[in-house]
Amino acid sequence: IIDRLVVLLTDLRHPACRLTELEVLDIATRAIGGNTTFYVRDVVQVGDKVEWHIGTATVGSGIVVRINDATGEIIERHRWGVR
């Protein structure tokens, strides 16, 4: 029952994606060029495209990477915060 509930909740959380979460985290890590700890902030439908929004697990400042799900290309990467 719990496994089925997890599948249902996961399906509601994300639009249909071509890339897996691990693939996207790997793309983001390589885009920054380091061993930074990332997490999936959001997966959103923008028009007919799906975007992954990945961020660093930091407080006060960090890095955000947006990735196109269809191509795996970096849409945007930027730093935010006080540093």
Side-chain angles (χ1 to χ4, degrees):
I1 295 175
I2 292 174
D3 289 337
R4 181 67 180 145
L5 181 60
V6 168
V7 169
L8 288 173
L9 291 175
T10 303
D11 288 344
L12 292 175
R13 188 175 139 215
H14 297 298
C17 298
R18 186 183 69 80
L19 298 171
T20 66
E21 188 169 322
L22 289 176
E23 290 171 324
V24 172
L25 293 173
D26 182 56
I27 292 168
T29 301
R30 285 187 282 122
I32 298 304
N35 292 326
T36 304
T37 303
F38 283 102
Y39 72 100
V40 176
R41 295 169 56 127
D42 207 0
V43 180
V44 296
Q45 184 91 31
V46 179
D48 60 344
K49 298 178 184 175
V50 176
E51 290 182 5
W52 290 80
H53 296 182
I54 310 299
T56 52
T58 55
V59 175
S61 63
I63 302 168
V64 174
V65 180
R66 290 175 42 218
I67 300 172
N68 182 321
D69 182 64
T71 63
E73 292 180 12
I74 305 296
I75 298 169
E76 175 187 29
R77 66 180 146 223
H78 69 274
R79 294 189 178 275
W80 62 272
V82 295
R83 294 184 193 164

